Amino acid sequence: MLEAVVQGVLGASGLGLGAIVGTVWQPRRVVSATVMAFGSGTLISAVSYEVALTAFRDGGPWPLLGGFAVGSSLFIGITRLVDEQGGFLRKSASRRRFLFERRREETSAVLARVAHVEVMRNLPPGEAQAMVSLLHPMSVESGEAICREGEPGDSFYLIVEGEADVVKGDRPVAVLGPGEVFGEMALLTHQPRSASVVARTPMELYQLKQEHFDDVMSRSPHIAGALSRALARRLRSATESQARAVQDLDRWRRQVLDSAEIDLSSAEEERLIEGLLEASRSAPLAILVGTMLDNIPESIAIGIDSTNPNTTLAFLLAVFLSNFPEALSSSMGLRQAGLRRSRILLLWAVAILLCGAFAGLGSFLAGTVPPVGLAFVRALSGGAILAMLSSTIIPEAYELGGASVAFSTIAGFTVGFLLSSPA
Ligand code: CMP
């Protein structure tokens, strides 16, 4: 048991080393990528030969399949929960993915509300997507004036819900409803508002500021066309565009969402992270739990095999190597979450000790659980390790190092294989 704890701590010490190195040195991307990919390769070979093969020999196909299914589902499910609490900051891949999904949700909500706005629907998906990120939601009470005739105008509006009267002098000239836009004339002509627009019911609107309106107009060849079509239609006061099938709106929304770029601008990334961190003060804890999630399956697997010298070496190397760059990038996330350096190192120390404890648990299970049960536990940790590799480490390594990570992965796999297979 003690042996297992020591080995668990040794494997996890890659975390400590990564964290310490991370405070004084930021390695080049290609270096991090190579270490990550090499570690992934050794872990893949460890899972194939130590975990899967042994579990299959001890328990046949069912514990293997069951363990893989439960292990990977648990890993993905718990990781999602942890990410919601701010744990997404621990790796650059998880950070980007999480923020991308957040923005997608935000965009989807806005799109659902502006899907019936003619001007938006006439834009190609990429341009609608760009415009959505610039819209500000706004509510007004009935009787409130949104534009006043003769005053300078600095915004353009899309009506989501409610109706407004357009009034010139004291003569009502039109009623605008959901899906219509107004306020474009002052922005296009740089003249005062041509009329007052007064809410006749409570209204939900989206506002586009002048600077964004100008920006969108100059960048999007379609928006001018979309606007002039809307204006021509207004002149003819045609109403035929009102009845569009709901299905159609949904398809349009999906198209726009699919056109979303996964990379956010750094300003947008900051905005999302700030908002999320404000909502959640538990980010440091979530990052620790997230890191532990990556390490618990590995530590249990180390513990189970702590008395087998061939297995141990291959596993320890794999775990150590994959932990090193993980802690490097996680330390950055922890600093972003507002943690001091000493606290960060303390967190890693706790993580390493916990890994030792889980390795101890693995060795305890190895001594008490019957072979079929142990095969299931092995496969469970193997499934979680494969889920972690495929959903975070390998994509991140590729992102940092490009296609050359293939060679480091294969090198890692070969070394792992040679170390673990008895001669
Ligand atoms: P703007 O002049 O910026 O501010 C008042 C807005 O009312 C104007 O842009 C148009 O969007 C809208 N508007 C003006 N006249 C009419 C009209 N006859 N019918 C519908 N909308 C109008």
Side-chain angles (χ1 to χ4, degrees):
M1 168 84 86
L2 187 64
E3 204 177 3
V5 174
V6 171
Q7 287 173 12
V9 167
L10 273 180
S13 60
L15 286 174
L17 193 67
I20 293 169
V21 171
T23 55
V24 289
W25 177 61
Q26 206 53 50
R28 289 180 47 214
R29 290 159 70 96
V30 64
V31 175
S32 300
T34 307
V35 180
M36 269 183 203
F38 189 90
S40 305
T42 51
L43 271 176
I44 292 172
S45 89
V47 171
S48 316
Y49 297 103
E50 323 310 342
V51 173
L53 207 59
T54 320
F56 185 74
R57 272 192 204 132
D58 291 353
W62 295 116
L64 181 70
L65 282 176
F68 271 1
V70 175
S72 52
S73 309
L74 271 179
F75 179 84
I76 298 295
I78 301 177
T79 302
R80 189 168 279 254
L81 286 179
V82 166
D83 281 350
E84 289 290 332
Q85 301 303 315
F88 68 93
L89 281 168
R90 73 191 178 284
K91 289 179 190 162
S92 67
S94 62
R95 179 164 51 231
R96 234 190 318 283
R97 183 75 217 164
F98 186 81
L99 293 178
F100 168 71
E101 275 169 16
R102 256 312 144 99
R103 188 182 60 164
R104 221 180 124 92
E105 279 165 22
E106 278 184 13
T107 307
S108 175
V110 178
L111 283 174
R113 290 162 65 80
V114 298
H116 55 288
V117 176
E118 196 63 34
V119 170
M120 293 295 293
R121 297 209 49 216
N122 280 318
L123 297 181
E127 287 173 25
Q129 163 84 38
M131 182 137 156
V132 157
S133 62
L134 303 172
L135 297 176
H136 288 286
M138 176 180 156
S139 309
V140 293
E141 295 302 324
S142 85
E144 218 175 294
I146 306 156
C147 298
R148 282 180 212 280
E149 186 176 355
E151 289 189 358
D154 66 350
S155 297
F156 165 70
Y157 302 89
L158 317 177
I159 305 179
V160 178
E161 267 172 48
E163 290 188 337
D165 289 312
V166 181
V167 185
K168 263 180 181 289
D170 45 15
R171 195 166 55 92
V173 290
V175 177
L176 301 175
E180 291 186 279
V181 296
F182 64 90
E184 75 296 332
M185 285 165 76
L187 303 197
L188 288 170
T189 59
H190 298 282
Q191 305 253 316
R193 294 288 191 200
S194 62
S196 296
V197 181
V198 183
R200 60 155 53 187
T201 65
M203 293 181 79
E204 298 291 328
L205 305 148
Y206 276 106
Q207 181 186 32
L208 184 70
K209 290 274 185 198
Q210 166 109 53
E211 64 266 26
H212 294 140
F213 181 83
D214 292 344
D215 196 35
V216 170
M217 287 290 282
S218 63
R219 274 194 294 135
S220 160
H222 299 92
I223 182 84
L227 259 181
S228 49
R229 268 193 296 280
L231 298 182
R233 195 161 294 128
R234 182 187 293 165
L235 280 178
R236 274 198 288 126
S237 57
T239 52
E240 76 249 1
S241 61
Q242 294 296 324
R244 293 268 182 183
V246 172
Q247 259 180 342
D248 229 23
L249 299 181
D250 268 356
R251 180 150 24 95
W252 172 79
R253 184 153 65 106
R254 263 202 311 280
Q255 268 177 1
V256 176
L257 281 175
D258 285 347
S259 78
E261 294 289 331
I262 192 144
D263 280 323
L264 312 186
S265 68
S266 51
E268 202 173 352
E269 197 166 297
E270 296 261 290
R271 175 184 71 80
L272 279 167
I273 290 181
E274 254 172 43
L276 289 165
L277 285 179
E278 250 162 48
S280 153
R281 287 272 140 237
S282 51
L285 184 65
I287 293 174
L288 176 71
V289 176
T291 307
M292 282 312 299
L293 258 185
D294 293 351
N295 284 281
I296 290 169
E298 297 167 349
S299 304
I300 293 178
I302 288 178
I304 292 178
D305 282 319
S306 58
T307 48
N308 177 344
N310 289 326
T311 311
T312 305
L313 192 57
F315 238 122
L316 280 187
L317 182 74
V319 171
F320 185 88
L321 285 175
S322 63
N323 277 335
F324 178 72
E326 186 179 338
L328 271 181
S329 75
S330 300
S331 292
M332 209 177 75
L334 286 165
R335 251 177 284 151
Q336 212 165 5
L339 231 65
R340 276 192 320 242
R341 219 159 265 194
S342 53
R343 292 289 298 277
I344 296 178
L345 293 179
L346 183 72
L347 273 184
W348 290 124
V350 172
I352 293 170
L353 290 178
L354 283 173
C355 287
F358 278 102
L361 174 70
S363 125
F364 170 75
L365 291 175
T368 46
V369 177
V372 175
L374 199 59
F376 177 80
V377 177
R378 266 184 214 279
L380 192 118
S381 61
I385 293 173
L386 287 179
M388 171 193 71
L389 287 175
S390 54
S391 64
T392 58
I393 299 202
I394 293 177
E396 183 158 2
Y398 178 79
E399 213 170 86
L400 290 174
S404 69
V405 293
F407 302 116
S408 340
T409 310
I410 294 167
F413 184 90
T414 314
V415 169
F417 175 74
L418 293 176
L419 281 177
S420 61
S421 56

